[in-house]
């Protein structure tokens, strides 16, 4: 078994069986550091601390560990972070170093099973086991019944008669397109009541309900080309899930299994109960009395593991939360990952939020420590903030440009006031408690509305100094929440500011923030901010960043772009697709928009081979599909809004990136959270080979918690994906082209 001896660290492997929540293992040290791995609410939970950070990792996606079945568990730990594997596949990771070196002298791992929990085969491995090593150590789940003939014995049938939950596995092929039929069927009293088939629509699983109506569950797709496919039907926890070749293809509410078949007396494979056979063959099949998890299903199909590293998570640099990923590969090959650092509470603005980055110099294999790029005064819910970074590089000059939203203390999107908050030069307009306005000049001086000097000076950080009769006194900070500082004198306008920062050395050093409101925001907008993730540089050299904003009705938003033709020196805002749009028989515009059904929110951009610009938009239209618009003039105006019928929309940020090759110059990858479960989740990557005009294949990347994401093409041609679980952290995964190409089969 290979261990990367060049990478220091440690690995642990064990098997567990649990019927109840409780403790599993813990690591004690001579000092205050140490951690415990528990089962809490049926899922893994890591708590304690390393020498550098606290740990409170709720691994919610590992739920149902108290099912009484044996599971394998592995941990790898290095100074770069630690990874947790369940049943052979990585389920979570953390920036914390869980190794003895990371927790201090005297550290020792001990098994600590609680009542109702068994642990066996606990082993320590010096060095880091590879994902392949861990998969090899992890046994496949044990079936209740395997099919050795076309029909189960009466005894085996009786074993199934009371199962209301469980899993069906079958490996099948048909003889070619258009040839379909039944994979598995069951009946009782001479009536077929359960059927699993491959059809022209995809994979269909149906069960005859008590009221004589068929309950039908379908995974739409084409798995009839003559290839071997694994199909898994997972029934439990209120849903039917259909997997093909180890990946989730459908998650459908409802629960129906063999226990729903009245007087069950027949289970057949490769045919229905009348004897009509599949136009192909079933090579092997098995039935499980347990509801297999995602890892166990992947193990059945020998899915190659993907490697994921946590880049930002709760406790990292003493922060409670990180959200909102941005990611870019620079012309130099440096990869820059950005995140909101939410210091004390996990909420959006109003909150104390900083913009932070980590950089990789080897294509995302290893990462430098956190850099705080942009921060404003204040803490907690009253702190000033920056939020929602969007990145683009001018590849002519190498300049890395970030647009980001800034809010003063106590202000966020819901309570921001309308207005620009700056003068025509981008200088902040300040006001005192009586509403008298002033201008904060570049040299730190403050002038009144007539341009006359005042006794105020403001530092770059926003601290006010008042000079009267030759004496200086503190005057608060202009960015803080109103009333937060007893010395308060002047404040910025309580609105949203679109700002730009830039780096000319691959993210090592950064400019001060530059206000853009004077060029791109209107007085009637209270919010005008980025669509986080990535912008694009067009072949013309134009930089284009997606934004969205509100109008007279603050709760309704419209997507648009801002663009620069001089490398970010000046910016303009284009029209929104909602300006002049015909919607439900009337013409609407972005200022007076009064219906959420026509609203468009965060968006992502792709330049096509013909020079047109594609925008894919978050929305709440009743269609439940991602909104689409196309511009032929670089984002200045847009055509009609339509909806991508292949892409489900659950009101969550999208991201897309071109991934061209010589044989497919318009290959595009799109990613979003595609299903409410009821939380936002099921991250799906989709493939287009015609610039986003059609979407020909998709693959579920993470079937459970998954919210925002950002993608980039790494120097070696691999896809880099930085994604979030919303509450736990941001994770970086490297995805080979073959992973998505396989979804076309």
């Amino acid at each position: 078994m290979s261990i990367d001896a060049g990478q220091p660290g440690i690995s642990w492997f064990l098997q567990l069986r649990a019927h109840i929540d409780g403790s599993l293992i813990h690591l004690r040290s001579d000092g205050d550091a140490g951690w415990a791995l528990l089962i809490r609410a049926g899922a893994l939970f890591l708590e304690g601390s390393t020498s550098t950070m606290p740990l409170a990792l709720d691994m919610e996606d590992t739920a149902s560990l108290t099912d009484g079945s044996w599971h394998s568990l592995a941990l790898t730990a290095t100074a770069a972070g630690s990874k947790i594997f369940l049943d052979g596949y990585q389920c979570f990771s953390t920036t914390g170093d869980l190794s003895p070196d990371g927790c201090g002298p005297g550290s020792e791992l001990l098994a600590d099973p609680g009542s109702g929990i068994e642990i066996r085969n606990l082993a320590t491995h010096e060095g880091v086991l590879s994902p392949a090593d861990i998969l090899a150590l992890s046994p496949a789940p044990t079936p209740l019944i395997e099919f050795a003939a076309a029909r189960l014995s009466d005894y085996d049938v009786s074993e199934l008669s009371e199962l209301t939950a469980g899993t069906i596995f079958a490996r099948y092929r048909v003889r070619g397109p258009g040839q379909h039929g039944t994979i598995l069927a069951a009946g009782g009293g001479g009536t077929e009541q359960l059927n699993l088939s491959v059809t022209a629509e995809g994979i269909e699983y149906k069960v005859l309900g008590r009221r004589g109506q068929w309950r039908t569950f379908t995974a739409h797709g084409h798995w009839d080309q003559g290839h071997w496919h694994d199909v898994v039907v997972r029934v439990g926890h209120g849903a039917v899930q259909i997997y093909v070749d180890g990946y989730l293809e459908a998650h459908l509410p409802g629960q129906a299994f063999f226990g729903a078949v009245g007087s069950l007396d027949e289970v057949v494979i490769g045919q229905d109960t009348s004897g009509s056979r599949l136009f192909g063959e079933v090579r092997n099949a098995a039935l499980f009395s347990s509801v297999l998890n995602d890892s166990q299903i992947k193990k059945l199909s020998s899915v190659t593991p993907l490697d994921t590293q946590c880049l930002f998570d709760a406790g990292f640099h003493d922060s409670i939360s990180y959200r909102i990923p941005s990611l870019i590969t620079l012309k130099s090959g440096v990869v820059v990952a950005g995140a909101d650092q939410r210091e004390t509470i996990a909420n959006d603005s109003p909150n104390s939020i900083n913009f932070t980055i980590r950089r990789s110099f080897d294509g995302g294999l290893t990462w430098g420590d956190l850099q705080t790029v942009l921060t404003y005064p204040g803490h907690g819910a009253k702190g000033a903030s920056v939020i929602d970074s969007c990145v683009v590089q001018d590849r002519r000059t190498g300049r890395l440009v970030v647009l980001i939203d800034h809010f003063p203390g106590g202000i966020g999107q819901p309570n921001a006031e309308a207005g620009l908050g700056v003068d025509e030069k981008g200088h902040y307009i300040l006001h005192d408690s009586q509403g008298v306005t002033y201008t904060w000049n570049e040299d730190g001086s403050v002038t009144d509305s007539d341009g006359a000097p005042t006794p105020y000076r403001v530092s770059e950080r926003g601290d006010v100094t008042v000079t009267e009769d030759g004496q200086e006194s503190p005057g608060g900070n202009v960015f803080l929440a109103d009333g937060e500082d007893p010395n308060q004198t002047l404040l910025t306008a309580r609105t949203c500011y679109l700002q730009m920062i830039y780096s000319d050395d691959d993210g090592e050093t950064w400019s001060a923030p530059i206000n853009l409101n004077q060029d791109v925001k209107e007085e009637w907008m209270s919010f005008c901010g980025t669509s986080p993730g990535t912008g694009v540089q067009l072949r013309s050299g134009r930089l284009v960043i997606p934004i969205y904003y509100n109008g007279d009705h603050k709760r309704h938003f419209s997507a648009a772009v801002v663009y620069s033709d001089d490398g970010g020196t000046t910016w303009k805002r284009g029209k929104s697709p909602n300006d002049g749009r015909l919607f439900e028989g009337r013409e609407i515009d972005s200022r007076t928009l009064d219906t959420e059904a026509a609203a468009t929110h965060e968006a992502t951009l792709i330049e096509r081979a013909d020079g047109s610009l594609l925008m894919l938009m978050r929305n709440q239209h009743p269609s439940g599909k991602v909104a689409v618009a196309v511009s032929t003039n670089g984002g200045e105006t847009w055509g009609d809004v339509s909806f991508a019928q292949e892409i489900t929309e659950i009101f969550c940020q999208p991201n897309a990136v071109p991934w061209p090759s010589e044989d497919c110059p318009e290959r595009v990858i799109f990613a979003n959270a595609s299903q409410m479960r009821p939380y936002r989740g099921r991250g799906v990557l989709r493939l287009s080979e015609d610039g986003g005009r059609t979407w020909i294949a998709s693959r579920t990347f993470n079937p459970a918690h998954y919210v925002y994401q950002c993608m980039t093409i790494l120097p070696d041609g691999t896809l880099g994906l930085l994604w979030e679980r919303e509450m736990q952290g941001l994770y970086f995964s490297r995805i080979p082209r073959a992973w998505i190409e396989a979804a076309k089969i």
Side-chain angles (χ1 to χ4, degrees):
M1 184 172 296
S2 62
I3 296 175
D4 184 1
Q7 182 179 11
I10 194 169
S11 304
W12 296 287
F13 183 88
L14 60 91
Q15 291 180 291
L16 66 98
R17 179 165 63 182
H19 300 272
I20 194 171
D21 288 358
S23 59
L24 296 174
I25 55 176
H26 67 265
L27 186 141
R28 292 177 178 169
S29 71
D30 293 340
D32 295 330
W35 51 264
L37 185 63
L38 322 167
I39 299 177
R40 184 176 293 175
L44 292 173
F45 194 96
L46 181 71
E47 65 180 11
S49 66
T50 69
S51 300
T52 60
M53 62 180 283
L55 299 167
L57 182 61
D58 184 356
M59 294 177 254
E60 64 261 288
D61 293 351
T62 62
S64 306
L65 271 181
T66 53
D67 61 359
S69 301
W70 282 103
H71 296 277
S72 65
L73 183 67
L75 292 85
T76 65
T78 73
S82 303
K83 301 174 183 179
I84 299 96
F85 298 76
L86 179 65
D87 293 318
Y89 291 85
Q90 188 178 334
C91 59
F92 266 80
S93 56
T94 174
T95 56
D97 181 0
L98 302 181
S99 72
D101 289 342
C103 293
S107 296
E108 181 183 7
L109 184 77
L110 301 171
D112 185 26
S115 177
I117 297 176
E118 301 171 71
I119 289 178
R120 69 185 186 190
N121 300 333
L122 174 60
T124 300
H125 300 264
E126 293 299 325
V128 176
L129 293 174
S130 71
D133 292 334
I134 292 169
L135 185 59
L137 285 170
S138 304
T142 302
L144 174 68
I145 296 166
E146 289 188 83
F147 282 86
R151 185 179 303 271
L152 286 186
S153 70
D154 292 342
Y155 182 89
D156 285 339
V157 170
S158 66
E159 290 282 285
L160 303 174
S161 61
E162 295 184 3
L163 289 182
T164 60
T167 307
I168 300 168
F169 169 82
R171 180 168 290 135
Y172 81 93
R173 71 174 179 90
V174 294
R175 297 190 183 95
Q179 303 198 54
H180 306 122
T182 296
I183 297 171
L184 177 146
T191 300
E192 183 170 289
Q193 300 175 53
L194 183 151
N195 183 284
L196 173 63
S197 296
V198 55
T199 74
E201 296 296 317
I203 301 296
E204 182 181 87
Y205 173 70
K206 60 182 185 178
V207 179
L208 188 63
R210 290 191 175 90
R211 289 186 285 273
Q213 294 181 330
W214 283 96
R215 304 175 66 189
T216 302
F217 307 87
T218 303
H220 295 279
H222 299 286
W223 296 286
D224 60 356
Q225 312 92 329
H227 304 293
W228 286 104
H229 292 291
D230 292 345
V231 61
V232 169
V233 178
R234 177 185 187 264
V235 181
H237 314 299
V240 170
Q241 293 184 323
I242 300 174
Y243 282 71
V244 179
D245 299 328
Y247 292 94
L248 180 67
E249 294 291 343
H251 172 91
L252 306 162
Q255 186 164 325
F257 206 52
F258 290 99
V261 176
S263 304
L264 178 70
D265 58 18
E266 184 178 19
V267 179
V268 295
I269 195 80
Q271 63 186 44
D272 65 18
T273 57
S274 72
S276 180
R277 294 194 54 78
L278 173 71
F279 282 88
E281 61 181 306
V282 178
R283 189 163 76 186
N284 55 290
L287 303 174
F288 300 80
S289 58
S290 60
V291 182
L292 299 186
N293 61 36
D294 187 72
S295 292
Q296 291 171 315
I297 293 170
K298 283 182 166 55
K299 175 78 174 180
L300 291 175
S301 295
S302 302
V303 170
T304 301
L306 293 176
D307 191 51
T308 293
Q309 179 181 352
C310 183
L311 296 190
F312 310 87
D313 65 338
F316 186 51
H317 283 258
D318 297 319
S319 290
I320 196 68
S321 175
Y322 293 84
R323 282 206 61 202
I324 319 300
S326 57
L327 184 69
I328 189 169
T329 300
L330 302 180
K331 186 178 179 180
S332 65
V334 174
V335 185
V336 181
D340 285 5
Q341 181 191 47
R342 303 180 176 193
E343 295 179 304
T344 57
I345 56 176
N347 299 344
D348 294 344
S349 305
N351 188 8
S352 176
I353 306 175
N354 307 319
F355 175 54
T356 58
I357 65 169
R358 296 183 70 180
R359 296 188 297 160
S360 174
F361 299 92
D362 56 9
L365 298 176
T366 62
W367 294 83
D369 200 5
L370 182 132
Q371 298 171 235
T372 300
V373 173
L374 188 54
T375 182
Y376 278 88
H379 296 281
K382 293 292 185 72
S385 62
V386 286
I387 185 173
D388 289 356
S389 60
C390 190
V391 297
V392 69
Q393 185 181 33
D394 187 337
R395 300 183 75 82
R396 300 168 300 184
T397 65
R399 173 167 288 183
L400 171 59
V401 173
V402 176
L403 267 60
I404 199 164
D405 309 341
H406 159 60
F407 292 97
I411 301 298
Q413 189 185 86
N415 65 342
E417 299 173 353
L420 303 186
V422 297
D423 67 10
E424 68 279 0
K425 296 180 180 179
H427 299 154
Y428 285 105
I429 302 298
L430 308 178
H431 67 273
D432 62 19
S433 59
Q434 280 72 49
V436 178
T437 60
Y438 304 83
T439 300
W440 174 9
N441 301 303
E442 289 183 19
D443 62 0
S445 66
V446 176
T447 51
D448 64 19
S449 58
D450 296 323
T454 70
Y456 304 111
R457 285 195 65 83
V458 184
S459 72
E460 184 176 337
R461 186 179 177 273
D463 294 319
V464 181
T465 301
V466 185
T467 303
E468 293 179 318
D469 299 327
Q471 299 293 316
E472 293 185 353
S473 60
N477 185 287
V478 298
F479 299 119
L480 289 179
D482 191 3
E484 185 75 0
D485 191 317
N487 297 313
Q488 173 182 310
T489 55
L490 303 175
L491 295 176
T492 59
R494 309 286 93 175
T495 192
C496 171
Y497 299 84
L498 183 61
Q499 296 186 328
M500 178 183 74
I501 56 175
Y502 62 84
S503 172
D504 290 325
D505 52 13
D506 292 342
E508 184 174 350
T509 61
W510 292 83
S511 72
I514 300 166
N515 285 318
L516 305 182
N517 279 10
Q518 70 279 6
D519 295 326
V520 302
K521 193 181 181 189
E522 304 291 345
E523 290 284 357
W524 45 265
M525 299 175 184
S526 59
F527 173 78
C528 178
T530 62
S531 295
T534 48
V536 297
Q537 183 174 34
L538 306 184
R539 286 188 288 276
S540 66
R542 172 175 288 184
L543 305 180
V544 188
I545 296 284
I547 64 162
Y548 67 116
Y549 57 85
N550 58 10
D552 296 341
H553 302 274
K554 292 179 63 173
R555 294 183 59 188
H556 304 308
F557 297 83
S558 295
V561 302
V562 295
Y563 59 90
S564 174
D565 291 318
D566 53 16
T569 301
T570 60
W571 293 84
K572 296 179 181 179
R573 188 186 81 252
K575 294 285 189 180
S576 170
N578 274 344
D579 289 322
R581 175 184 175 188
L582 289 177
F583 183 79
E584 295 182 345
R586 62 187 176 113
E587 186 175 295
I588 62 174
D589 66 78
S590 58
R591 177 172 183 174
T592 61
L593 181 67
D594 60 0
T595 174
E596 187 60 16
T600 50
H601 294 248
E602 294 163 329
T604 187
L605 305 169
I606 290 290
E607 184 184 24
R608 291 170 166 168
D610 64 2
S612 63
L613 187 60
L614 172 69
M615 181 156 62
L616 300 150
M617 296 166 280
R618 172 179 177 174
N619 68 92
Q620 296 203 94
H621 187 268
S623 69
K625 304 297 182 180
V626 166
V628 178
V630 176
S631 172
T632 58
N633 55 15
E636 297 174 30
T637 60
W638 297 87
D640 294 337
V641 174
S642 60
F643 295 90
Q645 295 304 307
E646 306 97 328
I647 309 181
T648 304
E649 163 64 12
I650 64 165
F651 199 54
C652 199
Q653 174 254 8
N655 189 245
V657 64
W659 199 2
S661 63
E662 288 187 8
D663 63 326
C664 190
E666 286 209 271
R667 180 187 283 111
V668 173
I669 301 295
F670 175 90
N672 73 339
S674 66
Q675 190 165 21
M676 296 295 294
R677 301 199 47 193
Y679 53 82
R680 291 185 294 181
R682 195 179 167 203
V684 175
L685 273 59
R686 301 178 191 274
L687 173 67
S688 171
E689 294 185 340
D690 57 8
R693 294 172 178 84
T694 59
W695 301 90
I696 61 171
S698 65
R699 174 154 279 181
T700 297
F701 170 76
N702 188 47
H705 289 80
Y706 181 102
V707 192
Y708 284 32
Q709 68 281 291
C710 192
M711 296 180 289
T712 188
I713 305 306
L714 300 169
D716 66 356
T718 299
L719 180 72
L721 173 67
L722 184 63
W723 57 284
E724 67 172 29
R725 286 187 169 100
E726 189 159 15
M727 298 304 295
Q728 296 301 322
L730 299 180
Y731 307 87
F732 177 78
S733 300
R734 292 171 50 88
I735 300 175
R737 182 171 287 159
W739 185 89
I740 192 68
E741 287 287 328
K744 294 195 299 184
I745 297 177

